Amino acid sequence: MPATDEEDTWVWSQIKAEAKRDAEAEPALASYLYSTILSHSSLDRSLSFHLGNKLCSSTLLSTLLYDLFLNAFSSDSNLRSAAIADLRAARERDPACVSYSHCLLNYKGFLSCQAHRVAHKLWTEARRPLALALSSRIADVFAVDIHPAARIGKGILFDHATGVVVGETAVIGNNVSILHHVTLGGTGKVGGDRHPKIGDGVLIGAGATILGNVKIGEGAKIGAGSVVLIDVPPRTTAVGNPARLVGGKERPSKHEDVPGESMDHTSFISEWSDYII
Amino acid sequence: MPATDEEDTWVWSQIKAEAKRDAEAEPALASYLYSTILSHSSLDRSLSFHLGNKLCSSTLLSTLLYDLFLNAFSSDSNLRSAAIADLRAARERDPACVSYSHCLLNYKGFLSCQAHRVAHKLWTEARRPLALALSSRIADVFAVDIHPAARIGKGILFDHATGVVVGETAVIGNNVSILHHVTLGGTGKVGGDRHPKIGDGVLIGAGATILGNVKIGEGAKIGAGSVVLIDVPPRTTAVGNPARLVGGKERPSKHEDVPGESMDHTSFISEWSDYII
Amino acid sequence: MPATDEEDTWVWSQIKAEAKRDAEAEPALASYLYSTILSHSSLDRSLSFHLGNKLCSSTLLSTLLYDLFLNAFSSDSNLRSAAIADLRAARERDPACVSYSHCLLNYKGFLSCQAHRVAHKLWTEARRPLALALSSRIADVFAVDIHPAARIGKGILFDHATGVVVGETAVIGNNVSILHHVTLGGTGKVGGDRHPKIGDGVLIGAGATILGNVKIGEGAKIGAGSVVLIDVPPRTTAVGNPARLVGGKERPSKHEDVPGESMDHTSFISEWSDYII
Amino acid sequence: MPATDEEDTWVWSQIKAEAKRDAEAEPALASYLYSTILSHSSLDRSLSFHLGNKLCSSTLLSTLLYDLFLNAFSSDSNLRSAAIADLRAARERDPACVSYSHCLLNYKGFLSCQAHRVAHKLWTEARRPLALALSSRIADVFAVDIHPAARIGKGILFDHATGVVVGETAVIGNNVSILHHVTLGGTGKVGGDRHPKIGDGVLIGAGATILGNVKIGEGAKIGAGSVVLIDVPPRTTAVGNPARLVGGKERPSKHEDVPGESMDHTSFISEWSDYII
Amino acid sequence: MPATDEEDTWVWSQIKAEAKRDAEAEPALASYLYSTILSHSSLDRSLSFHLGNKLCSSTLLSTLLYDLFLNAFSSDSNLRSAAIADLRAARERDPACVSYSHCLLNYKGFLSCQAHRVAHKLWTEARRPLALALSSRIADVFAVDIHPAARIGKGILFDHATGVVVGETAVIGNNVSILHHVTLGGTGKVGGDRHPKIGDGVLIGAGATILGNVKIGEGAKIGAGSVVLIDVPPRTTAVGNPARLVGGKERPSKHEDVPGESMDHTSFISEWSDYII
Amino acid sequence: MPATDEEDTWVWSQIKAEAKRDAEAEPALASYLYSTILSHSSLDRSLSFHLGNKLCSSTLLSTLLYDLFLNAFSSDSNLRSAAIADLRAARERDPACVSYSHCLLNYKGFLSCQAHRVAHKLWTEARRPLALALSSRIADVFAVDIHPAARIGKGILFDHATGVVVGETAVIGNNVSILHHVTLGGTGKVGGDRHPKIGDGVLIGAGATILGNVKIGEGAKIGAGSVVLIDVPPRTTAVGNPARLVGGKERPSKHEDVPGESMDHTSFISEWSDYII
């Protein structure tokens, strides 16, 4: 469900209202809130400004990056609607996300993801060296390393985000939630399609490592710290190192909810505890 | 055991002596040592200056942060005594910590923890947007992501620290040692008390993931890479993914020492090796 | 096989040609490419400039670091030949590495490793406070935490690199490939020789934790997410938490290839799948 | 004579060609030339980028200023045509001006004047505090202090420019050349129209001070170091402290040329020497 | 007449009200106004913050300067009352000064003078190298070069200020107005008392040069561009190069008003015009 | 008399000793003194570092400028001996110059002159765009505008320096002292040799303007505020606007001393006073 213009307008007006309230309550933060949010006429401009200032370096100036982001956001409405969907995802799924503006300003997962989308757009336009340079800045600044060729859907929550690695041929569907230290990695030194494909609504717990061109089915759940080298069927749960399907590989347990949205990380404990000595 | 004024004075005089010795031996570093340590009249000022310069950005100026830190440290003596206790913890428990000044200047775990305490103070004073902005800077700069609401004791060693994630309702006792990539995470998207409680003297190995409102008892040890979803009784050891208690859950082995202080990561190997094929 | 002068010249001319081509195709990146590569007369100067600008802070100026790097590289030809060998390693082993210049500019693993070698040189020259300050900057900027005393060979690939931790007495051989979040850690709070020794040609998968003064034999492979507390014989594979040798500890399977070079992360899946429920 | 679109295009293409030639001849400058000129698609963008980076401070970010300049230049074609006319003025009148790009990048008089025009536009749009803040930055960075209310024509050369002061109600016509340290000042502490009015084609020599609401007629010349407190008729020359008309106030000498364009500073020497003892 | 506490409070409340009004009217400036004024609890803090950020360099950090200024202002109430008197002077005497906040933020003469007072305080405390370094920064940033030993009264207006030079043994009284490019210089290479003494209420026009240990009497006026090498009696006017007393040296004209406050620069024109050919 | 190697060594050792003494007495300045002087092994390096940090901008990085300066100083010993001669000139002629290190760090005239010499060297090597870019930085940062083609001798004192303008074909001899706001300007818009030639030992007072290809003879003196359009014979004094020779143009007074060294600005007062009404 793409963000409508109305939704855009509503979310941006929420962000401004939140920032206004916070600026009034906290003068020490007002300068920051005005420069990042309140002085801007649109989410596109606010986000471009914030990313430009976050990702710049002494050799890649903030003005250059700001220009790059603003051009991308204003020429491709998908980028904005994806940003809106990601803001909603954080707000709905993360109880620590107290406001849209908090996510916009402070969530390195959110910011990495928006910057990645611009890098990906550059990649598809055959501006590869620029795309790689931008990805490198994301990796330095946020410790989030997503190859610019990786395809990522909407409604994504990278929670905490530090240490996330997503390889070149990985694909992530819509409404997926991925915790920190998650790897969607390749294997071997041969090119080609070699990274995981993550279906819609998947939840991947902290520190999980998924390697190779495997398919994590729609609505599946990957337990924290799991090492996954195999396909995981839709609506099932894989846990452990190496990862096993909860309920057994022949007739794995299936859950009704969409874990990428419900964020239920530990429903499998009761079943899993059988393995605990 | 809180740091006394005498102890404060002694540690600060040590730090100055170390920095003086190093500045004389290494002119290339003298400018750095003077600006961060030798030009300051107290640990509060030195630490505020260093954190202000480390955590500033183009939209959150060093002068603003310096002011914020200095106000916090000079109005709350607990912050200083906690810093002293943490310095001692690093010096005593980490053989690579060759001096107090090395910890003060270079340990991102130490610096993250002191900055977190200021963010936490802001949080408790209902200055939440500022607390969250500060935590966001800590997460960007040090890759240490501690929610400002999390409560943390004294005598803490975050060793290496990169990738540590501590959730909103987590509590960490005194004299705890936590290695890098450790997660004290929540589960689900419902708010409320949902993160681990870590007792005094606990040691948590690198890459361990502890999820949910579980209780890690006083003096317990969590092996590196463990995924812990259950309570761990005092003075016992949990290892593996999923974590099991060494010695079995009925009569787990108990150790005499305080692992958070002894830093013995691998005493369980002999027992554990039984499980190794 | 050390890099010859001819090889140096060839690699540097490749880098310049790549940068020239990219600058022409992408004006927005040309400024960056000229300042980092095309304005320099040698790889030493380009690398020193780039590292100086990446690792500087408000209290450790870029000019100071540039001077430090340039002095090191121009006085020790081993540093340059190691850089060349690492560039070749990335180019040959990582299919996402599309050019030498991409590695030189954007690979935080490559940059961390070169900066570490300078820190290590300072350490061996008894300039320890400076070595530690430099390592601290590497840890802040790249989230790669290598103790300056650690000894590292040539032809090293730190792939993605975020979260790598290498302890004081660790030794890494030649032609080793190490993925992100890998820990070569110590145990206990006693000093002395307490970190892993990694043989030539080893491959260590993402998130693996190796603790203590254990020996990972030449050509061994450590699976992603493994927790290794024991010696691993040459040409064998250890996987899991705790890590077991594939094929069993009595007669472990031996592979013919050099995993550090072949980058085959998952050859053990077929054998391993026996353990998967 | 306003700059036509064709002229715009031609001047911008000249600038790019000059910068390209210089970048090829001087790799050390190429990064600078690409970031300021060669990476931009128009003079507006190049100028906005350059002014944003020159005039920014830690509390007025380059991205904010860049945005401000770009909005002004793209919404008001008079600003661009005035810039073109000023570039031509420098190129034609100043023998030390070797290229358009040299003027665009390096002439503080040119840059101050363009930035002033934007400040003036803000002033007329009743955005006075912003206009004053921008003027203050011009005064700090270039030591050129022009009140944002002052009205300035086209084809202006501020040569060297350091120390120029232009008051609130001053008016400067077209094709005027003004050297450094020139003051167009007020008198008294009463508001209202109190500053000089400079006609078209006037030349004002270095260090001249013109005070009060006096009229410097079209094509007049003011000698270096003069202090002018009276009206100066068209095509006449005033010199000295206090300034006298060359030839006497009753029948002053008249010149044929336009001194603001011919730049003849010293034609009056022969006549003046009569006064020299 | 020293500023009273009440006056302090009133001026500061005016400044805050002005800044609040401007921030509301101009979102693009709000961030600047909050960081410089609205986030601060006192004029001391606002001024220290602003000067610290204006005068810092890569080798003299803003945090260090902020600390220095704040310590000076909070330990010496004369500095604050002088600042208040100077703000009032600008507001009353300069018709272009539309608000106190405009002066505080944008007047390089005002800012130079406040920073000079701190440098002078350091000088009198025998912290001479620091005083000289601070003066050097004022000279670089504002092009205002006042020796830290020079003694300056209260109620001073340095209008425009660029190019002002005040020597080591110069003394400036109260309620003096000095325009830009004014020199109070020495003569010869011998030390000792060798610079001008400027009485209360003096007005010195733009570009005037006063050399040597001469006395400019209380309420005197020096015309723009004058070169003064002699004493000027109280309430008289000196003009020209070399400067002559208006009315003749035997019985010079005397004025009733205080030119440093009335700012009447040109009352002498009628008399002077006699000399104009 | 060129500086000998011995003299170099002695001056550099003085500078280090002064800086060491000041660093010990003033901890707040120690960081600055170590980074600019005490961490360097030679005057060349110290000066290159200081100039690189002073003159850098966001588009001309300090590392690039440092490299440029260091290459120039280490390849051309004349640059160093000229710097030494200028340091001595300031120390001997300016009673406010309390130490060599004060001049090296804080005198914008000294720093501008050294940077100009490097720009001039680039100019003579046909690296004109780079020379012009460097001169532009000097003009922005120090408000000293010297064309890179201008030829300047040794033993130069630019006292205060703000506002000095020196044109393309100007020549300045040895042991010249020039105060602030002095212009050595051209006339007309025709190229060719059009700027003043200043002989050895000349003293030019504050605010003097010398225009055209005129010759100021060896040992001549130009009074403050003078406007000089004619040749001035050796050992004579020109004062006033327009400048007249003291003693009359037929038989001007001749002085014995070298004013550029004696710094006697006002010896002519007694004679001049005859003209004062």
Side-chain angles (χ1 to χ4, degrees), chain C residues 29-128:
Chain C
L29 203 61
S31 171
Y32 177 67
L33 293 167
Y34 271 95
S35 76
T36 54
I37 292 177
L38 291 167
S39 67
H40 298 284
S41 55
S42 68
L43 180 58
D44 291 356
R45 287 186 168 270
S46 169
L47 192 48
S48 298
F49 178 91
H50 197 44
L51 289 173
N53 281 301
K54 283 268 190 188
L55 295 174
C56 68
S57 73
S58 57
T59 46
L60 274 176
L61 296 182
S62 59
T63 33
L64 185 150
L65 292 180
Y66 171 68
D67 223 35
L68 196 68
F69 286 120
L70 196 53
N71 285 343
F73 282 112
S74 55
S75 68
D76 184 347
S77 66
N78 280 319
L79 293 173
R80 191 188 319 116
S81 68
I84 295 283
D86 295 354
L87 283 167
R88 299 192 72 120
R91 192 81 174 84
E92 282 163 16
R93 297 177 208 160
D94 179 0
C97 182
V98 294
S99 66
Y100 291 109
S101 58
H102 174 36
C103 178
L104 173 62
L105 295 176
N106 298 332
Y107 271 39
K108 54 202 283 195
F110 172 76
L111 293 168
S112 301
C113 190
Q114 310 319 307
H116 162 74
R117 288 208 182 93
V118 173
H120 180 63
K121 183 176 158 69
L122 293 168
W123 183 267
T124 60
E125 293 166 345
R127 303 176 71 181
R128 296 189 173 191

Side-chain angles (χ1 to χ4, degrees), chain D residues 257-275:
Chain D
D257 67 335
V258 179
E261 297 180 6
S262 69
M263 304 299 285
D264 182 349
H265 287 271
T266 51
S267 60
F268 54 85
I269 294 183
S270 54
E271 296 186 55
W272 203 17
S273 59
D274 299 346
Y275 312 120

Side-chain angles (χ1 to χ4, degrees), chain E residues 71-163:
Chain E
N71 284 343
F73 282 112
S74 55
S75 69
D76 184 346
S77 66
N78 280 320
L79 293 174
R80 193 189 316 115
S81 67
I84 296 284
D86 295 354
L87 283 167
R88 299 192 72 121
R91 192 80 174 84
E92 283 163 16
R93 297 178 210 161
D94 179 0
C97 182
V98 295
S99 67
Y100 291 109
S101 59
H102 173 37
C103 178
L104 172 63
L105 294 176
N106 298 333
Y107 270 38
K108 54 202 281 195
F110 172 77
L111 294 168
S112 299
C113 191
Q114 311 319 307
H116 163 74
R117 289 207 181 92
V118 174
H120 181 63
K121 184 177 158 68
L122 293 167
W123 184 267
T124 61
E125 292 167 347
R127 303 175 71 180
R128 297 190 172 190
L130 186 56
L132 291 166
L134 181 51
S135 285
S136 166
R137 286 305 299 156
I138 302 170
D140 284 1
V141 171
F142 296 123
V144 172
D145 188 343
I146 308 177
H147 193 284
R151 282 180 286 143
I152 298 185
K154 295 181 181 185
I156 303 300
L157 172 63
F158 284 115
D159 201 6
H160 302 297
T162 301

Side-chain angles (χ1 to χ4, degrees), chain F:
Chain F
M1 167 191 64
T4 60
D5 275 2
E6 241 169 81
E7 201 181 3
D8 275 26
T9 308
W10 183 82
V11 169
W12 177 236
S13 72
Q14 284 299 103
I15 289 170
K16 289 210 118 173
E18 294 162 4
K20 191 135 194 65
R21 178 200 62 203
D22 292 347
E24 271 159 25
E26 181 64 85
L29 204 61
S31 170
Y32 178 66
L33 293 167
Y34 271 96
S35 77
T36 54
I37 292 177
L38 291 167
S39 66
H40 298 284
S41 55
S42 69
L43 179 57
D44 291 356
R45 287 187 168 270
S46 169
L47 191 49
S48 299
F49 178 92
H50 197 44
L51 289 173
N53 281 301
K54 282 267 189 190
L55 295 173
C56 69
S57 74
S58 56
T59 47
L60 274 177
L61 296 183
S62 59
T63 33
L64 185 150
L65 293 180
Y66 171 68
D67 222 35
L68 196 68
F69 286 118
L70 196 52
N71 284 343
F73 282 111
S74 54
S75 68
D76 184 347
S77 66
N78 280 319
L79 293 173
R80 193 189 316 116
S81 67
I84 296 284
D86 295 355
L87 283 167
R88 299 193 72 120
R91 192 79 176 84
E92 283 163 16
R93 298 178 209 160
D94 180 1
C97 182
V98 296
S99 66
Y100 292 108
S101 59
H102 174 36
C103 178
L104 172 64
L105 294 176
N106 298 333
Y107 271 39
K108 52 202 282 196
F110 173 76
L111 294 167
S112 299
C113 191
Q114 310 320 307
H116 163 74
R117 288 208 181 91
V118 174
H120 180 64
K121 184 177 157 70
L122 293 167
W123 184 266
T124 60
E125 293 167 345
R127 303 175 70 180
R128 297 190 172 189
L130 186 56
L132 291 165
L134 181 52
S135 286
S136 167
R137 288 304 301 155
I138 302 170
D140 284 2
V141 170
F142 295 123
V144 172
D145 188 342
I146 307 177
H147 193 284
R151 283 180 285 144
I152 299 185
K154 296 182 180 183
I156 303 300
L157 172 63
F158 285 115
D159 201 6
H160 303 297
T162 301
V164 163
V165 171
V166 178
E168 183 176 359
T169 61
V171 178
I172 297 175
N174 296 317
N175 301 315
V176 170
S177 292
I178 291 179
L179 274 282
H180 51 287
H181 299 153
V182 163
T183 297
L184 306 183
T187 171
K189 66 179 187 185
V190 184
D193 196 348
R194 64 198 185 281
H195 295 96
K197 309 293 173 281
I198 310 300
D200 292 347
V202 167
L203 169 65
I204 307 179
T209 304
I210 309 177
L211 297 182
N213 188 359
V214 298
K215 194 175 169 71
I216 309 302
E218 163 265 331
K221 180 181 342 187
I222 309 296
S226 305
V227 176
V228 180
L229 306 165
I230 53 168
D231 285 355
V232 175
R235 304 264 167 175
T236 66
T237 299
V239 294
N241 176 1
R244 296 147 296 182
L245 295 183
V246 172
K249 71 178 158 183
E250 299 309 324
R251 292 175 49 184
S253 309
K254 293 238 175 187
H255 44 258
E256 294 298 313
D257 67 335
V258 179
E261 297 179 7
S262 68
M263 304 299 285
D264 182 349
H265 287 271
T266 51
S267 60
F268 52 86
I269 293 182
S270 55
E271 296 185 55
W272 204 18
S273 60
D274 299 345
Y275 312 119
I276 300 183
I277 299 162

